[in-house]
Structures are given as structure tokens and as C-alpha cells.
């Protein structure tokens, strides 16, 4: 019987590894739909503002806090469930929920209705990332994990790009309501494919050494405590949160800024800027993960944190140029250069956090990270921009959005400090481990 069980386990492991490319593709597509459904709102903000007669603060709430508070907080119980049950099934159900809610946003007649439907999107999307991070960590060993996370993070940049493209083009011809339905409904079909073809891997499948015997599942409080006890993890979470807040401010308000301050039409933003932007963002994400993997193999995992430090440092002047230069061609050129560096943080950041996480709490650590990122980054980033824009409007008029975005992007050096410090602490731990082994 033991031999039969072992054989069954070996077959399951072999199938999971054989299909890991397909699994990563399905996870990336799911993340793509997540960000497409989320980002479509950005290109539609000006149309929605006019149709429903909303303020920038209300638009910021819809893009940020209203969505993020449910998306982030529900990630914790979802992660708790994902550390116990089938992660594949959780992802499939969640994808169905948020896709349906996105399509229904097209039926909203006022701010309250749209707010409630955006809450529904946030509830659905809460079930995607924590189990996805956990599955990827089980399918790819530490030396390949940053690259796999970088591929997964393509869902962010490509989803945002296609959300802008499809949303703008469809809204131009048929209105913002039809655009919402157009991006929402196909996700339901993807959910069926996820349920049918994704393989649930054994926990710890790609980790070196024997797998520990099953232990009691840690509580949520223990998950927080174990993460807080890791100084490198603390710095990584703060760094990725601040970086995400700056990024969410841009993705949430960038299309509106281009329309208001640079005089570029919604259709031109969709047709000529969205796809090149997605391409440059994808190059950044893949290059960041690849460079981090190569340098980590040569010098240790701590280098991955410093890769982010350098890349994000290089992006800062181009972000400022985008916001402050009035010539549209130069501003958009600066924006594209900024994107080449901007998304390099995604793969290394999440891979390092999964590397530091205890095996039984990987989904929990991912959910805690996403809780902080989304409450502060996604929740406050776009919301603060909207609030600052309304606050600065008496002084700067229609240019108030420009200076609100500048204020947010100037927080970049704060994020860079935490990536530097995380690298220092990781290197110190690696040096101590090398001495102990000698």
C-alpha cells in the first residue's frame, strides 16, 4: 500500500512539474484579467465623471480605497483557506465573481451603485494573488522563482495596457458601459479553463530537502508575528508598498492626466500609448526578474533587493519629466523610458518574500504583503491623488492633477531606502550562514 501511495504521489508530482508552464500561463492570464478589469476604470474616469457628475475625490475612491479595502482585507481569510484547501478552485471561483461584477459595473446609474459593484470586484479579486503566489513558489525553486514571479507579474502590465486599450476604443464607439461589459464577461470562460486544466501542486514540491511532517496550521496572528519577526521581510513589505502606491497613482490617474494636461484624447491614449506602455512595462518586469535571478545565482539572494534599488532609482527622473514637461511628445517619451525600469520590482520583491516565508504560511505571507500593499498602495495612492487634486484646484486650476501626481512620485527615495536596507540584512544573514557552514 505504501508503495502504491508513493507511486501515486510521484505521478502527481511529475504531472504538476510537467504542466507547470501551463499552470504559470493560466495564473498569468488570470492576473491579466484581474488588472484589465481593475485598470479599465482609469481610461473611463473622464467619461464616468461627466456622465455621473462626480468629483476627483469620488473618482479616487472608486479607483482606490473603495476597491482596495475589501480586496486587501479579504485576502487574509482567502490565504488562510488557500493554505488548507485547493488553491486552483479558489482562483477559479474568484475569477468568476470579479468578472461578473466588472460586467455589471456597466449597469450603474450613480456613484453608490458603482461603488457597490466595485466592492464586488474587490471581493472577487481577493481570491487570486495569495494562492497564485503559493502555487508558483511550490512549482519553482528559489533560484528560478524571481523569474517565474516576473512572468506572473506580466499580468499587471499587460492587463493594465489592454484594459486601457480596449476600454478606450470600445468606450469611444459604444460608451463606457459597454466597455465594462466587454472586458468583464470573457473572464468567466477563463475560470472554466483554470478549473479544468490547472494542476494543484504538492506544497513544498520545489523546495530542497525532505518535506516536514504536517504541522498544525498557524493562525493569522502567528502569520503576522512570523513576518514581523523577519527584519528583511519588514523592509521589503514597506519598500514594495511605497513603490506600489506610486505606481497605482500613475496607473489610476495617468490616462486622465494625459487627457487634461497634455491634451491627448481618450482614443489616442488607448490606440497609441496603452500598448507600447504595456510592452515597455512587460520588458521591465521580465528583465527585472531575469537580472535578479542571474545576479542572485552569482552573488546571493540579497542582490535581488539591490536590483530593485538601482532600477527604481533610474526611473525617478523620467517619472518627474513625464509629469512636469508640457511638450506632449517629450513627456510621453519620458513616460516610456520610465516604464522600462518601473516594473522591475515585481518579481524580485515577491520572490524574496516567498523565500523568507515558512513553508506552511506562504499564502498567508503573500496575503499579508498584499493586504499592506493594497490598503496603503492601491487604497491610498489613487485616493490621495484625487483628494490632493481637489485640494490644489483653487491654486492650480486644471493643472491640479499634475502637481498631485508629482507629490506622490517624490516618495520614491523613501521606498529605495527600504530596498537598500533589506539587501543589507539579507547579505548579513547569508554571510552568517556561510560562516556557520564552514
Amino acid at each position: 500500500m505504501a508503495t502504491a501511495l508513493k507511486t501515486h504521489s510521484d505521478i502527481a508530482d511529475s504531472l504538476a512539474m510537467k504542466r507547470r508552464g501551463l499552470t504559470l500561463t493560466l495564473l498569468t492570464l488570470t492576473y491579466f484579467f484581474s488588472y484589465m478589469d481593475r485598470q479599465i476604470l482609469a481610461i473611463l474616469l473622464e467619461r464616468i465623471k461627466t456622465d455621473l457628475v462626480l468629483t476627483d475625490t469620488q473618482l479616487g475612491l472608486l479607483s482606490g480605497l473603495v476597491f482596495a479595502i475589501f480586496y486587501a482585507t479579504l485576502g487574509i481569510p482567502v490565504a488562510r483557506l488557500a493554505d488548507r484547501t485547493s488553491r486552483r478552485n479558489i482562483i477559479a471561483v474568484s475569477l468568476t465573481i470579479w468578472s461578473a461584477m466588472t460586467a455589471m459595473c456597466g449597469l450603474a446609474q450613480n456613484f453608490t451603485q458603482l461603488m457597490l459593484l466595485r466592492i464586488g470586484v474587490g471581493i472577487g479579486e481577493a481570491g487570486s494573488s495569495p494562492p497564485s503566489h503559493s502555487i508558483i513558489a511550490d512549482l519553482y525553486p528559489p533560484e528560478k522563482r524571481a523569474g517565474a514571479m516576473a512572468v506572473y507579474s506580466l499580468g499587471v502590465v499587460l492587463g493594465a495596457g489592454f484594459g486601457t486599450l480596449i476600454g478606450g476604443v470600445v468606450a469611444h464607439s459604444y460608451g463606457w458601459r459597454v466597455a465594462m461589459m466587454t472586458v468583464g464577461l470573457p473572464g468567466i470562460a477563463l475560470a472554466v479553463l483554470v478549473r479544468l486544466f490547472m494542476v494543484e501542486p504538492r506544497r513544498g514540491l520545489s523546495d530542497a530537502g525532505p518535506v516536514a511532517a504536517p504541522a498544525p496550521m498557524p493562525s493569522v496572528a502567528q502569520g503576522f508575528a512570523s513576518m514581523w519577526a523577519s527584519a528583511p521581510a519588514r523592509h521589503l513589505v514597506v519598500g514594495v508598498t511605497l513603490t506600489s502606491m506610486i505606481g497605482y497613482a500613475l496607473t489610476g490617474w495617468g490616462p486622465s492626466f494625459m487627457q487634461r494636461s497634455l491634451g491627448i484624447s481618450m482614443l489616442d491614449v488607448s490606440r497609441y500609448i496603452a500598448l507600447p506602455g504595456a510592452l515597455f512595462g512587460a520588458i521591465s518586469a521580465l528583465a527585472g526578474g531575469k537580472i535578479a535571478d542571474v545576479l542572485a545565482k552569482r552573488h546571493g539572494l540579497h542582490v535581488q533587493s539591490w536590483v530593485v534599488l538601482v532600477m527604481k532609482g533610474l526611473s525617478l527622473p523620467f517619472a518627474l519629466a513625464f509629469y512636469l514637461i508640457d511638450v506632449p511628445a517629450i513627456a510621453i517619451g519620458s513616460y516610456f523610458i520610465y516604464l522600462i525600469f518601473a516594473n522591475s520590482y515585481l518579481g524580485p520583491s515577491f520572490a524574496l518574500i516567498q523565500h523568507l516565508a515558512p513553508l506552511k504560511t506562504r499564502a498567508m505571507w503573500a496575503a499579508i504583503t498584499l493586504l499592506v500593499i493594497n490598503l496603503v498602495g492601491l487604497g491610498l495612492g489613487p485616493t490621495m491623488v484625487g483628494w490632493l487634486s481637489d485640494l490644489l484646484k483653487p491654486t492650480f486650476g486644471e493643472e491640479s492633477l499634475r502637481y498631485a501626481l508629482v507629490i506622490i512620485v517624490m516618495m520614491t527615495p523613501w521606498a529605495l531606502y527600504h530596498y537598500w536596507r533589506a539587501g543589507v540584512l539579507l547579505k548579513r544573514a547569508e554571510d552568517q550562514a556561510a560562516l556557520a557552514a564552514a
Side-chain angles (χ1 to χ4, degrees):
M1 178 63 112
T3 303
L5 289 173
K6 181 179 179 181
T7 302
H8 177 75
S9 176
D10 289 344
I11 292 172
D13 288 352
S14 176
L15 180 62
M17 296 304 290
K18 183 178 179 180
R19 285 196 187 176
R20 74 176 182 178
L22 174 61
T23 296
L24 182 59
T25 299
L26 288 170
L27 291 175
T28 304
L29 283 172
T30 300
Y31 208 23
F32 170 88
F33 272 81
S34 169
Y35 263 79
M36 186 168 65
D37 290 8
R38 189 183 313 179
Q39 179 63 19
I40 189 176
L41 193 67
I43 191 64
L44 303 178
L45 284 181
E46 298 301 300
R47 295 289 182 96
I48 294 172
K49 181 179 183 178
T50 301
D51 188 18
L52 301 184
V53 193
L54 306 181
T55 66
D56 279 354
T57 300
Q58 287 176 310
L59 294 177
L61 285 169
L62 290 172
S63 302
L65 196 59
V66 164
F67 172 89
I69 194 166
F70 289 90
Y71 174 57
T73 54
L74 287 176
I76 296 294
V78 167
R80 179 78 170 161
L81 188 63
D83 279 330
R84 295 172 179 267
T85 61
S86 171
R87 294 162 290 185
R88 175 199 61 195
N89 293 347
I90 291 172
I91 293 167
V93 171
S94 300
L95 175 54
T96 302
I97 292 171
W98 88 63
S99 298
M101 289 293 176
T102 299
M104 290 174 65
C105 283
L107 304 176
Q109 298 299 314
N110 53 52
F111 173 75
T112 301
Q113 291 177 7
L114 189 54
M115 178 186 68
L116 292 174
L117 289 166
R118 286 288 291 174
I119 288 172
V121 176
I123 290 171
E125 291 196 17
S128 174
S129 287
S132 296
H133 285 210
S134 178
I135 287 173
I136 293 170
D138 285 339
L139 290 175
Y140 291 87
E143 66 273 12
K144 294 183 178 179
R145 206 165 281 158
M149 287 289 188
V151 171
Y152 173 69
S153 71
L154 288 179
V156 175
V157 290
L158 295 178
F162 275 86
T164 302
L165 171 64
I166 296 171
V169 171
V170 175
H172 176 76
S173 300
Y174 303 103
W176 69 269
R177 299 177 185 280
V178 175
M180 285 285 193
M181 298 176 188
T182 301
V183 300
L185 293 176
I188 298 172
L190 177 61
V192 175
L193 297 179
V194 167
R195 177 60 184 83
L196 292 177
F197 297 107
M198 185 182 293
V199 177
E200 176 83 10
R202 175 172 57 82
R203 300 177 198 275
L205 176 60
S206 292
D207 289 275
V211 178
M217 184 65 61
S219 66
V220 174
Q222 288 171 330
F224 271 100
S226 65
M227 197 171 204
W228 182 257
S230 171
R234 290 201 306 269
H235 283 284
L236 285 167
V237 170
V238 175
V240 75
T241 298
L242 291 170
T243 303
S244 297
M245 182 171 72
I246 297 162
Y248 280 127
L250 171 60
T251 57
W253 285 101
S256 287
F257 167 72
M258 294 177 202
Q259 293 172 68
R260 292 189 199 180
S261 295
L262 299 180
I264 304 172
S265 70
M266 179 189 71
L267 187 59
D268 285 345
V269 171
S270 301
R271 289 193 303 187
Y272 304 123
I273 297 174
L275 280 187
L279 175 62
F280 287 125
I283 291 171
S284 174
L286 287 175
K290 184 63 176 178
I291 292 169
D293 275 344
V294 170
L295 293 180
K297 190 173 182 179
R298 294 178 183 174
H299 306 289
L301 284 174
H302 70 278
V303 175
Q304 294 186 341
S305 188
W306 291 344
V307 167
V308 178
L309 169 68
V310 173
M311 293 287 198
K312 293 302 295 183
L314 290 171
S315 76
L316 177 58
F318 297 102
L320 289 172
F322 170 56
Y323 291 134
L324 294 174
I325 292 175
D326 287 324
V327 182
I330 299 175
I332 295 303
S334 299
Y335 168 67
F336 287 150
I337 297 173
Y338 159 78
L339 289 177
I340 291 174
F341 302 104
N343 294 302
S344 57
Y345 76 99
L346 292 165
S349 298
F350 290 117
L352 282 172
I353 290 168
Q354 287 293 292
H355 169 73
L356 292 167
L359 181 62
K360 293 289 286 183
T361 57
R362 276 181 170 161
M364 180 62 68
W365 273 43
I368 292 169
T369 303
L370 292 167
L371 170 69
V372 180
I373 285 175
N374 291 306
L375 281 179
V376 179
L378 175 57
L380 294 185
T383 304
M384 283 179 61
V385 170
W387 175 74
L388 285 169
S389 179
D390 284 338
L391 186 68
L392 296 172
K393 193 165 188 177
T395 303
F396 296 103
E398 289 302 311
E399 292 298 302
S400 62
L401 180 59
R402 179 195 300 271
Y403 295 103
L405 287 163
V406 168
I407 290 171
I408 298 298
V409 83
M410 286 304 296
M411 300 177 72
T412 299
W414 184 9
L416 299 184
Y417 163 76
H418 289 285
Y419 277 108
W420 168 78
R421 187 60 183 161
V424 169
L425 294 171
L426 286 165
K427 186 175 188 305
R428 186 178 299 167
E430 288 168 7
D431 291 342
Q432 290 173 349
L435 285 173

